[in-house]
Structure formats: structure tokens, C-alpha cells
Amino acid sequence: MSSDRPATPLLDAVQSPADLKRLSDAQLRQLADELRAETISAVSETGGHLGAGLGVVELTVAIHAVFDTPRDRLIWDVSHQCYPHKILTGRRDRIRTLRQKDGLSGFTKRSESPYDPFGAAHSSTSISAALGFKVAHDLGGTPDPALGDAIAVIGDGSMSAGMAFEAMNNAGHLGKRMFVVLNDNEMSIAPPTGALSSYLSRLYSEEPLQDLKAAAKGALSLLPPPLQDAAHRAKDMLKHTMVGGTLFEELGFKYVGPIDGHDMDQLLAVMRTVHHRANEPILIHVITKKGKGYRPAEMAADKGHATAKFDVLTGKQKKAPSNAPSYTKVFAEALVKAGEADDKIVAVTAAMPDGTGLNLFAERFPKRCFDVGIAEQHGVTFSAALAAGGLKPFCAMYSTFLQRGYDQVVHDVALQGLPVRFAIDRAGLVGADGATHAGSFDIAYLANLPGMVVMAAADEAELVHMVATAAAHDDGPSAFRFPRGEGEGVDMPERGVPLEIGKGRMIQQGARVAILSFGTRLGEVMKASEALSARGITPTVADARFAKPLDRDLILTLAADHEALITIEEGAVGGFGSHVAQLLADAGVFDAGFKFRAMVLPDSFIDHANPADMYAAAGLNAADIEAKVLAVLGLGQVGAKRA
Ligand SMILES: Cc1ncc(C[n+]2csc(CCOP(=O)(O)OP(=O)(O)O)c2C)c(N)n1
């Protein structure tokens, strides 16, 4: 271990949560301090989610000290706060590999550890999962390890999603013993919005935490040594701590709280009490601070939600300087300009104002920008009605999160032909967040919808034009996708100009083989083209711009003029290439033996790594394209391993 790592004598002796059972409460307090220092030290080397984990250090220790994991199923909602949990559950030796190729995932993952009973990364699934485990337990499910209690830990941001309430409604009805810990730090990534957030604040502003702390301590001091009279203690604890929570009670939960989530005494007492007594669903409302115990995180606007590698002493993040603006920023600035020209343009985000760049739009047009909370389904239907009401909504979501609003895209938007503009960020592979966040499926799930216009930007200048195209297209729904990260560094247009719907563009005229690119693989295609030219084969290259409607003339001309056509996209099978194949098949092009290949993401979930490594694993880099061209022309073995 390097000398600048924190001293962690107690943590060093913890191999698994079972070791916590031997520690006194005072030692558990110290363990929490060491765990916090270790988390900060690890994330300073790896980057990743910091603030949420720091906020649940005491909670993590208390739950593992009181419950019997992995038999008791502990489910972290979103699970971006799981690093301290990973350190305590036998993964400390690999914690500095977090989010790197072949390293630990930044989220809980079933294949990684029995202490991760349910994978997550999209929010608000934990209560449903906990209930499922509980029912499986009661109906005799026999997984390994055997089933015990089920505990969900869910943040106040994630609690705002419909799914959490659907699960509570069901759990309250079934009435089984299970535990929901509401980790309330008054933060989502951005400050949370909405009525639930105000309700939660009222719950503890009415009853000062200090009084409850005193009450909890008072209750404790009445008691004989731990566990001798747990029932008596439980009665007192519950009496003193139940001060509100009508909403949860109406849903069929017992409500305990609010309690101070950084006070180990209080946490341990409450956890032991509920563990001993609960015989129905119980919600424990815990107040924590995002970023707790690390000043640079506590002071950050997002409370240290996600960070690059950083210097522990100063908190200064180590980021590589960027040469080109991010796609997100280009989108946001283009939307602001479009909004200046057209006051009907409005924008919708689901709890991602910064991630989608809509914070810029909100600053400029506060009344025309809506953060609906973590509520993609609602966000899509809300956008549909905004469109029906004569506005021009841009519904800005990451590809992966829009999946949650899919029925709304089909049923409320496409079926009614409403002109919602979907701005789809993080399209394609995203790097360290891994498979849960990959934007792999949107081309497939949008391009099959009647009336939907589906675009992908090949570079940041194209993105500006696509924002203008979507703004101008008022006849039905449209979507444009763009990746995470920086643009290509191309010259930027002063203003976006609407593209002709369903028309691609020629990039380079060559011979024998044509490559038709959809999205930002165009850069890799051009690299491959250079390498191929050096071998005497110059492919024709075109940018499709649209997966729907397809540029039929362009595609059929490319097919007529070449021996082979290769499509490439940053998406799963069933997307652009499949639509082109369908067109060629229907037009009879294959009847004469025409050669066609579609380069798509492989039919597997690709683990976290940096994006270049992920695209290498996916076989979509320049070398793979070159090999594909050689193979389709029958030229080849040279470097043709994936063709
Ligand atoms: C369905 C979905 N939408 C958006 C996100 C992006 N996201 C990740 S964490 C987060 C905030 C979660 O807030 P909260 O549950 O309060 O946890 P905290 O980070 O405050 O601990 C959001 C919006 C997501 N993970 N899943």
C-alpha cells in the first residue's frame, strides 16, 4: 500500500460483514470513519460516484452490522452509492479497479458477488426487487445463499419515480415484513424537484432532528445491555421516532423516522429495533448529507455526485484538457438559439438538467424548461401533451433512460403522431458506467415506429443541423441521437439549417465497396478508408443521417454502383442496418447475389471500460472496418479477424 493511503486498522481486519458482528458500537463508529477515508482514497484514484457513497457510510456499516447479508438481501437503489458496501463485502482488494476494464463495476452486479443480490443502475427498482425476494422466500424459493430478509435502500430522488410507488402500493397490500430505508439527502443529481421532495422536507422540519437524537439516546440509556430486552427497547424507539410519514402509512408501511443517518448510535438502535420487531413493511426515513465528511464534495453543487480522479488534499479533479466541445454542450447551445428564434420551443428533462445540458436552456428560459424528476414515463407523456397543446417540446433524455418511457413513446407520442422531439444523449457505448448505461437500443426501438423520424449526428456540426431539423419538423415525432463525450473538432456553423428529411449525404466517391455510416462512427470509417486507400482500395463513403425514413435513392444507387455495401452504426441489431437490409431485400437487390454486411454492436452486454476499448470489443473501430471491407471483397486475411 502506498504511504499516502489512510490508516485503517479496523477495516484491515474486516474480510466480510460477519466480522462486524464482533465489533462494539464504538468500534463500528470508528470503522465507519475508516470506511469513509478508504472510499475517498479509492475514488481519488479511479474517479466515479463519490457523494452518494459518502452519504451512506454509517448506514452501510449499520445495516451490515445488524442484518445477515448475503442471506438477507440488501438492495441498493441505482447502486451508485455501493462503493462502501463493496469495500465491506470482500472486494476491498479490487476497489481501486472500479469502473476500469476488467475491474469492479461501479454498480451492484449479481455476477460480481453474492452480496449484490440484484443489479441496478437505473433508479427506483429496489422496492420491487426487495418485495420479489420476500415473496420468493415465503413461497419456498431456494437460491444459494438461502433467503432471509429483504432490505431496499432508496434515495429521495429515486423515491420520486412512479415505480417506487407502484412497489410500495403492492408491498403495503401484501403486508409482509420487509425494510425500505429512505436515504433522504435532499439531493438527486441536481436538487430534487416536486411535491414529494417538499413533503419529505416537511417531515423533518416539523420535528427537529436534535430532539429525536436525544430521544433515541434516551431510549437507549434506559435499556440493559444490547439484546437483553430488545422488545422493550423497540417499543420505546418506535414510540419516540414515529412522528409523521402519513403518506407511507397510507400505503401500508410502518414509518420510522426521521433519524440522523450519520449518528451511529441512533442508526444502530433503530436498525436493531426494526430488525427485531418488524412484522410488516417498514419504512425507515434516514436523513443524510450527500458528500458527507469530504469538504470538496460537500461544497460541490452536485455534492460530489460524480467525479474524475482527484487530489485528496485539494479535491482538484484531474481531467484531460478537451479539444472540442462536448456533444451535450453543442446540443444545449443549439437549442438555446432555436428557443430564441421560436418561443414555442420548450424542454423537458427527467432529473438530468446538467447531464443533458438543459441547465443552459433553463437559465435562459426558466419558464420553458421542466425538470420532471426521475420520471421518464411521465416526461414523455407530458411532452406528448405539450405538443398536442401547440408547443414544440424537446424531450432530452439519455438513450438508456428513455427505455423506461418506451410505451409512452409508442402509445402517447407515435400513435398520435405528435411532434415531440427526442434529443437522445449518450447514444452508443458510454465507457465507465458500463452496460447498464449503454445507449444501444434506441435506433431499433424508434426506427420501427410508424411516422418517427430518426437521425444520428456524424459530428457536432451535424448535430446543430439536426436540432434545427427537429425544430422545423412539426408533422410528427422526431429523434436525433448523439454520443457521450467530445465532438470531432469540426468547423461549426453559425446557425443550424434544417436538413431535408430522409436524405443522406455523400462523403467520398470511391469504387467497389460502399460504406454507409449512421452516426459518429464516420470518423472511424474515414480512418479505415485512408488505410484502405494505401492498399489501393478507396471505398465510397456516405453518411445516412436518417435511419427513418431511409434515403432509398442513395441506398439503391450505392448498391447498383458497387460490389458490396457495408452499413455501420453505434447500435444493436435491429436498427439502421436491419432497415437497409430490409429495403435491399424488398427491392430484389439480393436476388442477384449482392454482398451486404451490417456492422452493429454485438449481441452481448459489454462491460465497462473506456469507450475506445469498448468499441474495440464491439468490433466497430477503424481496423475492424478495414478488415470487413477486405473480407467482403474476398481480399482477406490481413487483420481480418472479425470480418
Ligand atoms: C431511470 C433513471 N433515470 C435517471 C438516472 C440518473 N441518475 C442516477 S443517480 C440519480 C439521482 C438519484 O438521486 P437519489 O436517489 O436521491 O440518490 P443520491 O444520489 O442523492 O444518493 C439520477 C437521476 C437513473 N439512474 N435512472
Side-chain angles (χ1 to χ4, degrees):
M1 272 201 196
S2 82
S3 56
D4 53 7
R5 294 211 182 151
T8 53
L10 267 181
L11 186 60
D12 296 346
V14 171
Q15 303 306 322
S16 80
D19 296 325
L20 270 56
K21 305 280 193 273
R22 291 195 293 274
L23 301 181
S24 67
D25 288 5
Q27 286 174 312
L28 290 172
R29 262 198 311 277
Q30 185 189 328
L31 181 72
D33 294 342
E34 294 180 15
L35 184 57
R36 176 168 281 112
E38 175 71 355
T39 303
I40 295 166
S41 167
V43 181
S44 77
E45 288 180 18
T46 61
H49 290 105
L50 180 65
L54 294 182
V56 297
V57 164
E58 286 79 11
L59 196 54
T60 305
V61 170
I63 292 173
H64 280 297
V66 171
F67 286 87
D68 179 23
T69 58
R71 186 174 166 277
D72 291 343
R73 298 312 201 257
L74 170 59
I75 299 144
W76 296 98
D77 204 277
V78 184
S79 79
H80 61 315
Q81 75 290 62
C82 71
Y83 305 176
H85 160 81
K86 290 200 176 192
I87 293 171
L88 284 188
T89 54
R91 284 168 278 181
R92 187 182 180 194
D93 57 341
R94 286 179 293 151
I95 200 68
R96 285 156 208 268
T97 68
L98 267 172
R99 293 160 58 90
Q100 292 153 42
K101 190 170 185 308
D102 301 322
L104 291 180
S105 164
F107 300 102
T108 53
K109 200 170 177 191
R110 275 172 62 83
S111 58
E112 196 176 287
S113 166
Y115 290 92
D116 293 1
F118 207 75
H122 291 200
S123 80
S124 320
T125 60
S126 61
I127 305 176
S128 303
L131 182 60
F133 278 118
K134 183 62 193 167
V135 170
H137 168 270
D138 290 359
L139 294 187
T142 53
D144 183 24
L147 291 160
D149 275 321
I151 310 116
V153 183
I154 179 167
D156 54 312
S158 300
M159 188 62 114
S160 72
M163 211 181 148
F165 284 88
E166 292 168 30
M168 280 194 289
N169 187 39
N170 192 193
H173 170 69
L174 292 177
K176 293 172 184 294
R177 167 182 163 111
M178 65 178 277
F179 305 87
V180 174
V181 179
L182 171 58
N183 170 36
D184 184 358
N185 57 20
E186 284 190 278
M187 278 296 281
S188 187
I189 294 180
T193 58
L196 179 74
S197 170
S198 321
Y199 173 72
L200 293 178
S201 310
R202 276 204 307 281
L203 284 183
Y204 55 88
S205 58
E206 281 164 11
E207 198 74 20
L209 276 182
Q210 276 318 104
D211 292 1
L212 285 161
K213 191 169 161 180
K217 286 211 169 121
L220 263 184
S221 66
L222 290 176
L223 295 171
L227 302 184
Q228 280 185 13
D229 190 1
H232 179 202
R233 171 200 290 194
K235 194 156 147 271
D236 273 11
M237 284 304 303
L238 290 180
K239 197 167 76 203
H240 285 297
T241 53
M242 283 177 57
V243 297
T246 318
L247 174 65
F248 303 107
E249 283 168 349
E250 292 298 327
L251 283 165
F253 276 70
K254 273 267 173 299
Y255 173 88
V256 177
I259 61 173
D260 179 346
H262 300 301
D263 181 332
M264 268 315 251
D265 291 341
Q266 213 180 129
L267 269 182
L268 286 167
V270 170
M271 288 297 163
R272 286 176 183 139
T273 303
V274 296
H275 180 257
H276 184 75
R277 268 183 59 107
N279 52 15
E280 58 201 328
I282 187 156
L283 184 130
I284 304 138
H285 185 183
V286 177
I287 308 302
T288 62
K289 231 182 179 177
K290 199 161 180 169
K292 171 76 179 178
Y294 185 56
R295 214 177 135 68
E298 284 186 22
M299 300 309 290
D302 67 352
K303 306 276 189 279
H305 182 82
T307 173
K309 297 174 190 186
F310 60 90
D311 179 90
V312 174
L313 282 181
T314 62
K316 201 168 156 14
Q317 297 188 33
K318 301 169 186 166
K319 280 188 187 148
S322 60
N323 304 314
S326 72
Y327 280 97
T328 303
K329 184 142 185 265
V330 169
F331 156 66
E333 286 174 349
L335 189 65
V336 168
K337 274 197 186 162
E340 281 163 354
D342 185 343
D343 68 1
K344 295 287 182 289
I345 288 181
V346 293
V348 175
T349 169
M352 307 294 282
D354 297 355
T356 57
L358 286 196
N359 52 340
L360 295 182
F361 194 85
E363 272 164 29
R364 181 74 180 75
F365 306 110
K367 292 211 170 90
R368 289 156 57 188
C369 192
F370 302 89
D371 180 352
V372 298
I374 309 182
E376 289 80 5
Q377 297 167 299
H378 159 65
V380 172
T381 303
F382 172 57
S383 299
L386 289 172
L391 299 179
K392 296 183 176 171
F394 277 72
C395 181
M397 291 184 188
Y398 291 8
S399 168
T400 192
F401 299 138
L402 182 57
Q403 288 163 195
R404 185 157 290 182
Y406 188 54
D407 181 58
Q408 287 72 6
V409 174
V410 178
H411 173 267
D412 299 328
V413 177
L415 195 77
Q416 307 195 90
L418 290 168
V420 175
R421 287 84 172 159
F422 293 100
I424 302 181
D425 201 329
R426 301 323 192 257
L429 301 175
V430 293
D433 279 334
T436 55
H437 280 55
S440 309
F441 308 114
D442 59 282
I443 310 172
Y445 72 62
L446 294 173
N448 61 2
L449 298 178
M452 180 72 75
V453 170
V454 181
M455 301 174 259
D459 58 42
E460 62 272 36
E462 283 288 294
L463 177 55
V464 172
H465 296 312
M466 287 179 182
V467 172
T469 311
H473 183 69
D474 215 24
D475 299 340
S478 57
F480 51 97
R481 71 187 319 251
F482 49 97
R484 169 178 180 258
E486 286 166 27
E488 306 283 317
V490 300
D491 290 342
M492 295 297 282
E494 181 48 36
R495 211 150 253 296
V497 179
L499 304 171
E500 188 180 345
I501 299 290
K503 285 287 161 211
R505 57 177 180 147
M506 284 298 287
I507 303 289
Q508 138 183 325
Q509 191 68 54
R512 298 194 65 191
V513 63
I515 306 175
L516 181 57
S517 172
F518 181 63
T520 53
R521 285 292 96 184
L522 185 61
E524 293 295 305
V525 170
M526 295 317 289
K527 276 191 222 157
S529 164
E530 263 176 45
L532 286 161
S533 293
R535 293 172 182 262
I537 304 158
T538 300
T540 294
V541 177
D543 171 13
R545 281 181 168 157
F546 294 82
K548 182 155 200 171
L550 284 177
D551 188 341
R552 201 182 151 83
D553 293 344
L554 173 68
I555 294 166
L556 292 178
T557 305
L558 291 176
D561 294 349
H562 296 82
E563 288 169 47
L565 175 64
I566 298 171
T567 61
I568 184 162
E569 70 204 275
E570 290 140 327
V573 65
F576 173 64
S578 302
H579 284 264
V580 173
Q582 180 82 27
L583 166 64
L584 295 173
D586 288 349
V589 175
F590 295 133
D591 301 2
F594 182 71
K595 293 179 190 166
F596 172 76
R597 303 286 184 274
M599 297 183 77
V600 296
L601 291 172
D603 191 22
S604 59
F605 292 105
I606 302 178
D607 276 338
H608 51 279
N610 69 47
D613 283 342
M614 291 177 90
Y615 276 112
L620 290 180
N621 281 341
D624 305 293
I625 300 166
E626 185 187 349
K628 185 71 84 180
V629 169
L630 293 174
V632 79
L633 293 178
L635 296 174
Q637 302 319 318
V638 206
K641 65 180 164 56
R642 285 201 190 83

PDB file of all heavy atoms in Angstrom, residues 435-457:
ATOM      1  N   ALA A 435     -22.512  -1.459 -19.107  1.00  0.00           N
ATOM      2  CA  ALA A 435     -23.633  -1.976 -19.890  1.00  0.00           C
ATOM      3  C   ALA A 435     -24.977  -1.375 -19.491  1.00  0.00           C
ATOM      4  O   ALA A 435     -25.858  -1.185 -20.334  1.00  0.00           O
ATOM      5  CB  ALA A 435     -23.697  -3.493 -19.753  1.00  0.00           C
ATOM      6  N   THR A 436     -25.133  -1.045 -18.211  1.00  0.00           N
ATOM      7  CA  THR A 436     -26.426  -0.516 -17.768  1.00  0.00           C
ATOM      8  C   THR A 436     -26.741   0.828 -18.406  1.00  0.00           C
ATOM      9  O   THR A 436     -27.898   1.213 -18.513  1.00  0.00           O
ATOM     10  CB  THR A 436     -26.433  -0.287 -16.249  1.00  0.00           C
ATOM     11  OG1 THR A 436     -25.314   0.561 -15.926  1.00  0.00           O
ATOM     12  CG2 THR A 436     -26.328  -1.596 -15.491  1.00  0.00           C
ATOM     13  N   HIS A 437     -25.697   1.557 -18.779  1.00  0.00           N
ATOM     14  CA  HIS A 437     -25.892   2.906 -19.307  1.00  0.00           C
ATOM     15  C   HIS A 437     -25.689   2.990 -20.817  1.00  0.00           C
ATOM     16  O   HIS A 437     -25.780   4.070 -21.393  1.00  0.00           O
ATOM     17  CB  HIS A 437     -24.941   3.886 -18.617  1.00  0.00           C
ATOM     18  CG  HIS A 437     -25.413   4.336 -17.267  1.00  0.00           C
ATOM     19  ND1 HIS A 437     -25.740   3.457 -16.271  1.00  0.00           N
ATOM     20  CD2 HIS A 437     -25.624   5.575 -16.748  1.00  0.00           C
ATOM     21  CE1 HIS A 437     -26.128   4.130 -15.199  1.00  0.00           C
ATOM     22  NE2 HIS A 437     -26.064   5.419 -15.470  1.00  0.00           N
ATOM     23  N   ALA A 438     -25.357   1.868 -21.441  1.00  0.00           N
ATOM     24  CA  ALA A 438     -25.087   1.914 -22.878  1.00  0.00           C
ATOM     25  C   ALA A 438     -26.349   2.320 -23.629  1.00  0.00           C
ATOM     26  O   ALA A 438     -27.438   1.849 -23.331  1.00  0.00           O
ATOM     27  CB  ALA A 438     -24.607   0.544 -23.355  1.00  0.00           C
ATOM     28  N   GLY A 439     -26.151   3.198 -24.620  1.00  0.00           N
ATOM     29  CA  GLY A 439     -27.281   3.613 -25.446  1.00  0.00           C
ATOM     30  C   GLY A 439     -27.299   2.772 -26.707  1.00  0.00           C
ATOM     31  O   GLY A 439     -26.970   3.240 -27.789  1.00  0.00           O
ATOM     32  N   SER A 440     -27.683   1.522 -26.574  1.00  0.00           N
ATOM     33  CA  SER A 440     -27.533   0.555 -27.664  1.00  0.00           C
ATOM     34  C   SER A 440     -28.798   0.321 -28.466  1.00  0.00           C
ATOM     35  O   SER A 440     -28.736  -0.200 -29.566  1.00  0.00           O
ATOM     36  CB  SER A 440     -27.107  -0.809 -27.089  1.00  0.00           C
ATOM     37  OG  SER A 440     -26.002  -0.683 -26.253  1.00  0.00           O
ATOM     38  N   PHE A 441     -29.928   0.638 -27.883  1.00  0.00           N
ATOM     39  CA  PHE A 441     -31.164   0.089 -28.440  1.00  0.00           C
ATOM     40  C   PHE A 441     -32.096   1.117 -29.095  1.00  0.00           C
ATOM     41  O   PHE A 441     -33.088   0.751 -29.700  1.00  0.00           O
ATOM     42  CB  PHE A 441     -31.932  -0.663 -27.339  1.00  0.00           C
ATOM     43  CG  PHE A 441     -31.069  -1.666 -26.630  1.00  0.00           C
ATOM     44  CD1 PHE A 441     -30.735  -1.518 -25.291  1.00  0.00           C
ATOM     45  CD2 PHE A 441     -30.545  -2.748 -27.322  1.00  0.00           C
ATOM     46  CE1 PHE A 441     -29.901  -2.428 -24.658  1.00  0.00           C
ATOM     47  CE2 PHE A 441     -29.712  -3.662 -26.698  1.00  0.00           C
ATOM     48  CZ  PHE A 441     -29.395  -3.503 -25.357  1.00  0.00           C
ATOM     49  N   ASP A 442     -31.775   2.401 -28.946  1.00  0.00           N
ATOM     50  CA  ASP A 442     -32.769   3.402 -29.362  1.00  0.00           C
ATOM     51  C   ASP A 442     -33.032   3.392 -30.866  1.00  0.00           C
ATOM     52  O   ASP A 442     -34.144   3.653 -31.297  1.00  0.00           O
ATOM     53  CB  ASP A 442     -32.382   4.799 -28.864  1.00  0.00           C
ATOM     54  CG  ASP A 442     -31.034   5.253 -29.376  1.00  0.00           C
ATOM     55  OD1 ASP A 442     -30.002   4.808 -28.834  1.00  0.00           O
ATOM     56  OD2 ASP A 442     -30.981   6.038 -30.312  1.00  0.00           O
ATOM     57  N   ILE A 443     -31.997   3.092 -31.673  1.00  0.00           N
ATOM     58  CA  ILE A 443     -32.268   3.100 -33.125  1.00  0.00           C
ATOM     59  C   ILE A 443     -33.315   2.026 -33.419  1.00  0.00           C
ATOM     60  O   ILE A 443     -34.297   2.268 -34.126  1.00  0.00           O
ATOM     61  CB  ILE A 443     -30.997   2.806 -33.957  1.00  0.00           C
ATOM     62  CG1 ILE A 443     -29.836   3.692 -33.518  1.00  0.00           C
ATOM     63  CG2 ILE A 443     -31.288   3.018 -35.450  1.00  0.00           C
ATOM     64  CD1 ILE A 443     -28.504   3.321 -34.159  1.00  0.00           C
ATOM     65  N   ALA A 444     -33.094   0.855 -32.827  1.00  0.00           N
ATOM     66  CA  ALA A 444     -34.026  -0.246 -33.075  1.00  0.00           C
ATOM     67  C   ALA A 444     -35.413   0.068 -32.533  1.00  0.00           C
ATOM     68  O   ALA A 444     -36.425  -0.148 -33.214  1.00  0.00           O
ATOM     69  CB  ALA A 444     -33.485  -1.525 -32.437  1.00  0.00           C
ATOM     70  N   TYR A 445     -35.467   0.626 -31.316  1.00  0.00           N
ATOM     71  CA  TYR A 445     -36.793   0.790 -30.715  1.00  0.00           C
ATOM     72  C   TYR A 445     -37.540   2.024 -31.230  1.00  0.00           C
ATOM     73  O   TYR A 445     -38.720   2.183 -30.970  1.00  0.00           O
ATOM     74  CB  TYR A 445     -36.755   0.678 -29.184  1.00  0.00           C
ATOM     75  CG  TYR A 445     -36.144   1.774 -28.325  1.00  0.00           C
ATOM     76  CD1 TYR A 445     -36.644   3.070 -28.297  1.00  0.00           C
ATOM     77  CD2 TYR A 445     -35.106   1.470 -27.430  1.00  0.00           C
ATOM     78  CE1 TYR A 445     -36.118   4.035 -27.461  1.00  0.00           C
ATOM     79  CE2 TYR A 445     -34.562   2.432 -26.586  1.00  0.00           C
ATOM     80  CZ  TYR A 445     -35.068   3.720 -26.610  1.00  0.00           C
ATOM     81  OH  TYR A 445     -34.547   4.671 -25.772  1.00  0.00           O
ATOM     82  N   LEU A 446     -36.826   2.914 -31.940  1.00  0.00           N
ATOM     83  CA  LEU A 446     -37.519   4.072 -32.516  1.00  0.00           C
ATOM     84  C   LEU A 446     -37.796   3.902 -34.007  1.00  0.00           C
ATOM     85  O   LEU A 446     -38.858   4.294 -34.501  1.00  0.00           O
ATOM     86  CB  LEU A 446     -36.693   5.342 -32.293  1.00  0.00           C
ATOM     87  CG  LEU A 446     -36.553   5.773 -30.828  1.00  0.00           C
ATOM     88  CD1 LEU A 446     -35.572   6.934 -30.706  1.00  0.00           C
ATOM     89  CD2 LEU A 446     -37.904   6.148 -30.223  1.00  0.00           C
ATOM     90  N   ALA A 447     -36.834   3.287 -34.719  1.00  0.00           N
ATOM     91  CA  ALA A 447     -36.968   3.260 -36.183  1.00  0.00           C
ATOM     92  C   ALA A 447     -38.078   2.311 -36.634  1.00  0.00           C
ATOM     93  O   ALA A 447     -38.484   2.342 -37.794  1.00  0.00           O
ATOM     94  CB  ALA A 447     -35.646   2.877 -36.832  1.00  0.00           C
ATOM     95  N   ASN A 448     -38.553   1.467 -35.721  1.00  0.00           N
ATOM     96  CA  ASN A 448     -39.658   0.588 -36.116  1.00  0.00           C
ATOM     97  C   ASN A 448     -41.025   1.234 -35.874  1.00  0.00           C
ATOM     98  O   ASN A 448     -42.059   0.616 -36.103  1.00  0.00           O
ATOM     99  CB  ASN A 448     -39.566  -0.769 -35.392  1.00  0.00           C
ATOM    100  CG  ASN A 448     -39.659  -0.629 -33.890  1.00  0.00           C
ATOM    101  OD1 ASN A 448     -39.827   0.478 -33.375  1.00  0.00           O
ATOM    102  ND2 ASN A 448     -39.553  -1.732 -33.173  1.00  0.00           N
ATOM    103  N   LEU A 449     -41.037   2.464 -35.401  1.00  0.00           N
ATOM    104  CA  LEU A 449     -42.329   3.097 -35.099  1.00  0.00           C
ATOM    105  C   LEU A 449     -42.830   3.903 -36.293  1.00  0.00           C
ATOM    106  O   LEU A 449     -42.121   4.776 -36.802  1.00  0.00           O
ATOM    107  CB  LEU A 449     -42.193   4.027 -33.889  1.00  0.00           C
ATOM    108  CG  LEU A 449     -41.796   3.330 -32.590  1.00  0.00           C
ATOM    109  CD1 LEU A 449     -41.642   4.357 -31.467  1.00  0.00           C
ATOM    110  CD2 LEU A 449     -42.837   2.286 -32.204  1.00  0.00           C
ATOM    111  N   PRO A 450     -44.037   3.630 -36.729  1.00  0.00           N
ATOM    112  CA  PRO A 450     -44.581   4.378 -37.859  1.00  0.00           C
ATOM    113  C   PRO A 450     -44.541   5.883 -37.603  1.00  0.00           C
ATOM    114  O   PRO A 450     -44.889   6.350 -36.516  1.00  0.00           O
ATOM    115  CB  PRO A 450     -46.030   3.875 -37.951  1.00  0.00           C
ATOM    116  CG  PRO A 450     -45.994   2.507 -37.329  1.00  0.00           C
ATOM    117  CD  PRO A 450     -44.954   2.584 -36.250  1.00  0.00           C
ATOM    118  N   GLY A 451     -44.060   6.614 -38.593  1.00  0.00           N
ATOM    119  CA  GLY A 451     -44.098   8.073 -38.523  1.00  0.00           C
ATOM    120  C   GLY A 451     -42.950   8.724 -37.779  1.00  0.00           C
ATOM    121  O   GLY A 451     -42.869   9.952 -37.721  1.00  0.00           O
ATOM    122  N   MET A 452     -42.079   7.921 -37.201  1.00  0.00           N
ATOM    123  CA  MET A 452     -40.977   8.505 -36.420  1.00  0.00           C
ATOM    124  C   MET A 452     -39.814   8.854 -37.335  1.00  0.00           C
ATOM    125  O   MET A 452     -39.423   8.043 -38.175  1.00  0.00           O
ATOM    126  CB  MET A 452     -40.533   7.484 -35.364  1.00  0.00           C
ATOM    127  CG  MET A 452     -39.397   7.922 -34.470  1.00  0.00           C
ATOM    128  SD  MET A 452     -39.840   9.190 -33.255  1.00  0.00           S
ATOM    129  CE  MET A 452     -40.759   8.247 -32.053  1.00  0.00           C
ATOM    130  N   VAL A 453     -39.279  10.046 -37.194  1.00  0.00           N
ATOM    131  CA  VAL A 453     -38.049  10.420 -37.911  1.00  0.00           C
ATOM    132  C   VAL A 453     -36.874  10.140 -36.982  1.00  0.00           C
ATOM    133  O   VAL A 453     -36.878  10.574 -35.835  1.00  0.00           O
ATOM    134  CB  VAL A 453     -38.076  11.909 -38.296  1.00  0.00           C
ATOM    135  CG1 VAL A 453     -36.712  12.364 -38.815  1.00  0.00           C
ATOM    136  CG2 VAL A 453     -39.157  12.166 -39.329  1.00  0.00           C
ATOM    137  N   VAL A 454     -35.891   9.382 -37.448  1.00  0.00           N
ATOM    138  CA  VAL A 454     -34.750   9.021 -36.594  1.00  0.00           C
ATOM    139  C   VAL A 454     -33.447   9.460 -37.251  1.00  0.00           C
ATOM    140  O   VAL A 454     -33.094   8.987 -38.336  1.00  0.00           O
ATOM    141  CB  VAL A 454     -34.710   7.498 -36.335  1.00  0.00           C
ATOM    142  CG1 VAL A 454     -33.529   7.145 -35.428  1.00  0.00           C
ATOM    143  CG2 VAL A 454     -36.016   7.024 -35.715  1.00  0.00           C
ATOM    144  N   MET A 455     -32.746  10.363 -36.564  1.00  0.00           N
ATOM    145  CA  MET A 455     -31.484  10.894 -37.093  1.00  0.00           C
ATOM    146  C   MET A 455     -30.345  10.561 -36.142  1.00  0.00           C
ATOM    147  O   MET A 455     -30.546  10.384 -34.943  1.00  0.00           O
ATOM    148  CB  MET A 455     -31.553  12.431 -37.181  1.00  0.00           C
ATOM    149  CG  MET A 455     -32.658  12.974 -38.045  1.00  0.00           C
ATOM    150  SD  MET A 455     -32.741  14.790 -37.940  1.00  0.00           S
ATOM    151  CE  MET A 455     -34.099  15.031 -36.809  1.00  0.00           C
ATOM    152  N   ALA A 456     -29.134  10.507 -36.703  1.00  0.00           N
ATOM    153  CA  ALA A 456     -27.934  10.411 -35.867  1.00  0.00           C
ATOM    154  C   ALA A 456     -26.909  11.380 -36.429  1.00  0.00           C
ATOM    155  O   ALA A 456     -26.691  11.433 -37.641  1.00  0.00           O
ATOM    156  CB  ALA A 456     -27.382   8.996 -35.868  1.00  0.00           C
ATOM    157  N   ALA A 457     -26.285  12.133 -35.533  1.00  0.00           N
ATOM    158  CA  ALA A 457     -25.301  13.123 -35.962  1.00  0.00           C
ATOM    159  C   ALA A 457     -23.947  12.453 -36.167  1.00  0.00           C
ATOM    160  O   ALA A 457     -23.498  11.685 -35.324  1.00  0.00           O
ATOM    161  CB  ALA A 457     -25.185  14.211 -34.904  1.00  0.00           C
TER     162      ALA A 457
END
